[in-house]
Every structure is written in structure tokens, then in C-alpha cells.
Amino acid sequence: MKRILYNIVLSLLCCLPCSAQPFTEVLDEHIATVEVRCGADGAALPVIGLGTGETFTLSFDDLSAGYRRFEYHIEHLTPNFQPTEGLFESEYVRSVAETEPIEEYDESIGTVQTYTHYRLQFPNQRMTPIISGNYRLVVTAEDEDTGEVTDVLRVWFAVCDGTGSVSLTATTDTDAGRNGVWQQLGMKVNLGSQPLRRADEEVRTLVLQNRRTDNAVLDARPTYVLGNELEWSHSRDLIFRAGSQFRAFEMRSTRYPGMHQESVRWDGDNYQARLMMDEPLRSYLTEPDRNGQRVIRTDDGQDAATQGEYSFAHFTLHTDPRPDTHYYIYGQWTPGCPARAYRMTYDETAEAYTAQLYLKQGYYSYTYLCQPSGSRACYQADGDYWQTENEYAALVYYRPSGSRYWQLVAWTCPTFAPR
């Protein structure tokens, strides 16, 4: 019964249409808890410097029984996450072979849900990118029955050559209103010694709020261009809904409930973790948040990677029904909005929107997103407050005349709490 339940839940995570390209795509029902960790604390955007020796770590759990041989390769992408056409593999990657196996793995220890935990540090001695730009790391596996090799996981990362610079500012004084529900970004780009002839053809930018792709802004039109410098000042393209602080819960033990957790119990097949009921916020909360991040950890063992247990986490948002609106659970650990596996359903008895997700023990930062029917836009169910602290990322791409690919020349990822 346990196997059937998690297969039903995990199969919903795969191959779902999204309004924007997600940073992580899970294409196999047995793959869970995908983590891309970069930087000193593991929470940085996965952007590494070209030729600097910087790396990131990809890890995931395979919930099928035993070892599976996973291999990986990388693909160069455009700023809008499409494969770069016209480049030979040898022009963007130095590797021993076209694909390499993921050789670091460990079996779970003492958990009801058995799994194999895989890890990959990238770049490495056997494969490394040699030009800057957007990339996709693709993990593949061979079907035991058909022998067909298929993609099971795709994750985004980027390589920056640092030949330019970019800076961001944030204010709540916007063309859409002042100190209300909006935040206005300002941006300045300097291409350094790179020649700039046609800014509209040679420069592309991507701006993200809390790493969401559904409201990402690609190719905002600059306000000023002077030589090889570009500026976005009071650009209507860079006005974002301010949103609200993210919620959080901890699910660190099967013996007792954690933060914002009402109960945890064993039903004979699975652990059931019921979170405390949420209600839409009525005012701005000043508590610090993690902007949707996740940290895997457990109190039931020494190593959360292999001793962390899986449970069904039950979410409840007590609010009036809105037949014309879909509600979703969102965090940086979800594919984005909309993602059908994270869509909530209205329970008339509980008078609330509910959902259950099969999650590994840890700390989870999350929020609820709403999407009106017929609209591609999503917004936070807790409302918008100009004071909200948000993480904004800006990436700058450059392709001079005659070049066949977009290089990433600059990026920044500050957190702002406008006042």
C-alpha cells in the first residue's frame, strides 16, 4: 500500500506543463528531494565563475529499490532556457566522454521508506564547461525492460565569465503606486571592455524574484544606453508585486511534532505529518524568512542525507472557496507555479484548501500562490506588503555580432527590504 501511495504522489511531479521553464525538472516518478547546493552555506543561486574552480553539488534520492546507474551530461542554453543551436559539444564542454556516471551514492539507513542517495560535484576533473552562459545538467537512466535511455532529471545552472558588472536597487516609490503593494527595481549594467553596437540585439537580461520563473522578467527595455553602459530607471518592466513573508515548518522527527506541526503519526503504511492550519495574513509580519528555501535535516539520526525519513505532510489553508482561482504550495523546492502536483483542493467540511506532499525530513520555507482561471499570473494568497524582504537576481547576457552563443557576463543576487 505504501508503494502505491508514494507512486501516485510522485508521478504527479513529472512531465507537467508550466507557464515558465522551471529550474528543476523531475521526469521520473522515483526521483525525490532534488537539491542543488552552491556557495558557502549551500543556499546561493547555482552560478559559478568560469575557470575559478567554483563548484555546486547536485543530490537526489531514488525511491526505487537498490542501485540504478545514472549518467549525466550538460547542454548549453539561451537566456530563455532553450538549447543553443549551432554549437558543437566540444565548443562548450571539456570531457573525457559524452556522458559520465554518478559514482557517489549511499543506501538509506533505518528508514521505512528505502532509497538510494546520489551526489555529484560539478564541474569535476572528468567534465567541465569551457564557455559562459546558461546550462542544463541532464541526468539519464536506462530502462531495464526496453533498454531505452531517457532523461530522469534536468537542473539549471549558469557559468559567468565576469567581463561585465551589474547592480540592483529597490524602492517602493513606483509608477504603480507608492508604499503600497509594489516594489520597483533599478538596474545598471557595465559591459567593461566589450564593444556594444546594438543594445537591443546584443544584450539580454533576466530578473528573478525569489527564484520564481512564473513572474521572471526577460529582456526589460533599458531606459538609457551610453557607450557600453545600460541603465533601467523607473522601468515599468521591473515593477514586481511585493508579496509577503514566507511561512515555515520543520519536520525533523517521527517521534514528536516540530515547528508549526500539529502532529505526526504512523498509520500502518506511512508517517502522516499534519501541519497547523494556516489562514491568510491580514497584516505584514516582520519575522525573518528564508524566501522559500529548504534544509534537509533530522533529529532521528546523524546523517539526514541517508537517515532522513519520508512522511506525507498535510497542508491546510483556511479561507473561503474561490471557484475561479487555483491555489498552489510554492517554495524554491517546488517546480514553480502552476504545478499540478502542488495544487490544493477545497475541502467543504474543513472549509479550507488542502494538499498532501510526500516530503523528506527537514526545514521548509513555503507560501501559497493563487492563479485566477484563464490567467498565467500567480500572486501570494497572503497579499502584498511593500516592506517585504525579497531576494532579487539579475543575470546579464551578451552576444556580439558574429557570435553563435549568449555568454553570461555579469550577475548579482541581493536581498532587499525596501523602506
Side-chain angles (χ1 to χ4, degrees):
M1 181 63 177
K2 172 168 70 78
R3 179 73 60 182
I4 295 174
L5 282 174
Y6 83 66
N7 278 348
I8 290 174
V9 173
L10 290 176
S11 64
L12 292 174
L13 303 183
C14 307
C15 304
L16 298 173
C18 295
S19 61
Q21 177 73 38
F23 283 148
T24 299
E25 297 177 275
V26 178
L27 306 170
D28 184 290
E29 63 180 12
H30 300 104
I31 303 300
T33 315
V34 180
E35 298 263 270
V36 180
R37 299 184 62 78
C38 188
D41 62 355
L45 196 68
V47 181
I48 57 178
L50 182 65
T52 62
E54 295 174 343
T55 64
F56 65 87
T57 301
L58 167 66
S59 65
F60 60 90
D61 293 340
D62 177 21
L63 305 187
S64 61
Y67 166 79
R68 277 206 291 171
R69 180 181 173 85
F70 293 107
E71 296 187 341
Y72 67 93
H73 64 274
I74 63 172
E75 301 171 349
H76 195 273
L77 305 178
T78 65
N80 60 338
F81 305 100
Q82 299 303 308
T84 301
E85 297 182 356
L87 278 185
F88 293 106
E89 187 177 290
S90 59
E91 294 182 275
Y92 63 82
V93 60
R94 182 174 62 249
S95 61
V96 176
E98 290 185 3
T99 63
E100 291 290 339
I102 298 179
E103 298 178 328
E104 190 175 355
Y105 62 91
D106 292 290
E107 301 289 340
S108 60
I109 303 172
T111 57
V112 173
Q113 172 61 68
T114 58
Y115 57 88
T116 305
H117 181 73
Y118 292 83
R119 293 175 300 279
L120 170 68
Q121 188 176 55
F122 190 88
N124 50 57
Q125 291 184 343
R126 299 187 66 84
M127 185 177 295
T128 186
I130 55 177
I131 62 175
S132 67
N134 278 349
Y135 282 86
R136 179 163 56 205
L137 189 150
V138 182
V139 179
T140 62
E142 182 178 297
D143 188 279
E144 294 182 356
D145 297 325
T146 66
E148 181 183 1
V149 176
T150 59
D151 296 353
V152 299
L153 175 64
R154 302 175 188 140
V155 297
W156 170 89
F157 71 97
V159 178
C160 183
D161 58 33
T163 54
S165 63
V166 57
S167 62
L168 285 177
T169 59
T171 179
T172 60
D173 186 2
T174 77
D175 291 339
R178 182 173 185 177
N179 288 2
V181 301
W182 308 99
Q183 291 180 351
Q184 169 88 63
L185 295 188
M187 183 164 61
K188 291 183 179 181
V189 169
N190 188 310
L191 294 178
S193 60
Q194 307 273 24
L196 183 63
R197 299 177 179 85
R198 294 286 304 272
D200 57 334
E201 296 180 358
E202 297 176 334
V203 176
R204 303 191 72 175
T205 58
L206 176 66
V207 180
L208 303 161
Q209 181 193 58
N210 298 324
R211 306 187 196 182
R212 286 171 55 184
T213 55
D214 61 283
N215 66 345
V217 177
L218 181 66
D219 294 337
R221 185 185 295 263
T223 312
Y224 307 105
V225 178
L226 181 61
N228 59 357
E229 297 183 353
L230 302 90
E231 182 175 352
W232 289 256
S233 177
H234 294 284
S235 169
R236 293 191 65 89
D237 293 333
L238 295 181
I239 297 176
F240 290 81
R241 295 184 72 130
S244 56
Q245 296 292 86
F246 279 67
R247 303 169 184 268
F249 73 92
E250 282 191 308
M251 191 171 62
R252 298 173 59 174
S253 177
T254 58
R255 295 174 287 123
Y256 50 82
M259 178 185 69
H260 199 63
Q261 188 179 345
E262 185 177 278
S263 64
V264 57
R265 64 182 179 84
W266 171 253
D267 68 2
D269 291 308
N270 298 277
Y271 285 105
Q272 306 289 338
R274 187 164 297 279
L275 307 184
M276 293 182 179
M277 180 177 290
D278 291 321
E279 295 194 9
L281 300 179
R282 306 302 179 189
S283 60
Y284 175 70
L285 295 181
T286 58
E287 297 179 4
D289 66 358
R290 297 290 295 271
N291 293 320
Q293 295 177 15
R294 168 181 63 187
V295 181
I296 299 301
R297 53 194 180 196
T298 181
D299 289 343
D300 296 337
Q302 298 298 315
D303 181 13
T306 57
Q307 295 177 288
E309 186 60 87
Y310 278 82
S311 304
F312 280 99
H314 296 261
F315 295 77
T316 307
L317 177 63
H318 184 259
T319 187
D320 295 331
R322 297 177 61 184
D324 62 339
T325 301
H326 295 306
Y327 282 75
Y328 297 89
I329 298 167
Y330 172 74
Q332 292 182 22
W333 43 276
T334 73
C337 179
R340 186 175 296 275
Y342 296 86
R343 193 165 81 183
M344 309 180 78
T345 58
Y346 193 78
D347 185 325
E348 294 185 357
T349 302
E351 298 183 337
Y353 285 91
T354 64
Q356 64 175 21
L357 303 177
Y358 199 53
L359 302 177
K360 195 174 186 178
Q361 287 176 330
Y363 167 93
Y364 288 80
S365 176
Y366 71 101
T367 190
Y368 298 106
L369 294 183
C370 297
Q371 183 186 40
S373 297
S375 172
R376 297 184 62 180
C378 296
Y379 59 91
Q380 287 183 253
D382 287 325
D384 297 278
Y385 304 93
W386 61 269
Q387 308 99 317
T388 301
E389 178 188 75
N390 287 305
E391 175 196 272
Y392 287 101
L395 297 96
V396 182
Y397 306 90
Y398 172 70
R399 188 178 70 180
S401 177
S403 176
R404 292 180 293 125
Y405 70 95
W406 289 94
Q407 61 192 84
L408 177 62
V409 297
W411 75 287
T412 188
C413 191
T415 298
F416 292 116
R419 291 291 182 265

